[in-house]
């Protein structure tokens, strides 16, 4: 992999992780995006299992003292409180999540390992909408450079 590919990989990773894939945007999408209901359903299920495990061997005593209906309601209430409070708690985890995921370094390193056709395939969509403009500008620059060469050759 050449120096240019390494530099482009580093820039691509930095820009994507700063502008698009930053932790706040990821959590906002998880908590409010189109699939947020799936996340909250999963969170509810895990919260109930966690509560069951937390009560552990004391469950028979808790069910006897509270009644099975009230015990089930308590688990649902705990799950509801977790879901209700999570959006306010998550901002405190952004830096930890960013550090733990280490996406910028991962993207940079993985892009550096790509073959040239794979590397181009990753970058091509970023330039696709401006491709005609890039071709036109390249043609104009080629015409100017060729014309300058011709002038220099003719007037030597």
């Amino acid at each position: 992999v050449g120096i240019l590919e390494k530099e482009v990989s580093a820039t691509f990773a930095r820009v994507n992780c700063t502008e698009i894939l930053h932790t706040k945007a990821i959590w906002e999408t998880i908590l409010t995006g189109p699939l947020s209901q799936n996340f909250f359903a999963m969170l509810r299920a895990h919260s109930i299992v966690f509560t069951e495990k937390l009560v552990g061997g004391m469950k028979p005593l808790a069910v006897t003292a509270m009644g099975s209906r009230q015990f089930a309601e308590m688990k649902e209430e705990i799950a509801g409180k977790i879901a209700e409070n999570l959006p306010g708690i998550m901002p405190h985890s952004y830096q930890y999540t960013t550090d733990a995921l280490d996406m910028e370094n991962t993207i940079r390193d993985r892009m550096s390992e790509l073959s040239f056709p794979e590397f181009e395939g990753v970058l091509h969509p970023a330039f696709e909408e401006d491709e005609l403009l890039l071709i036109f500008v390249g043609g104009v620059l080629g015409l100017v450079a060729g014309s300058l060469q011709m002038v220099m050759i003719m007037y030597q």
Side-chain angles (χ1 to χ4, degrees), residues 1-110:
V1 177
I3 295 172
L4 178 65
E5 285 91 351
K6 286 184 181 182
E7 192 62 36
V8 170
S9 296
T11 302
F12 182 83
R14 184 177 58 257
V15 169
N16 273 291
C17 291
T18 307
E19 301 294 325
I20 301 167
L21 296 174
H22 55 87
T23 304
K24 181 180 179 191
I26 292 170
W27 274 111
E28 284 176 357
T29 301
I30 290 170
L31 297 173
T32 63
L35 299 177
S36 63
Q37 289 177 333
N38 296 354
F39 171 76
F40 282 106
M42 181 182 68
L43 179 64
R44 178 190 159 278
H46 284 282
S47 298
I48 289 171
V49 169
F50 176 76
T51 303
E52 286 272 351
K53 288 182 180 178
L54 190 64
V55 173
M58 301 296 288
K59 182 179 176 183
L61 183 61
V63 170
T64 301
M66 299 173 74
S68 59
R69 185 177 58 81
Q70 233 177 343
F71 184 73
E73 287 174 3
M74 177 197 70
K75 292 188 299 185
E76 288 292 340
E77 186 176 333
I78 290 170
K81 290 287 184 189
I82 290 171
E84 178 183 322
N85 290 311
L86 188 65
I89 295 168
M90 289 319 299
H92 301 289
S93 75
Y94 290 168
Q95 189 59 53
Y96 169 78
T97 305
T98 299
D99 295 343
L101 292 176
D102 196 24
M103 285 194 301
E104 184 175 335
N105 289 324
T106 301
I107 292 169
R108 184 194 65 231
D109 294 345
R110 295 287 157 68

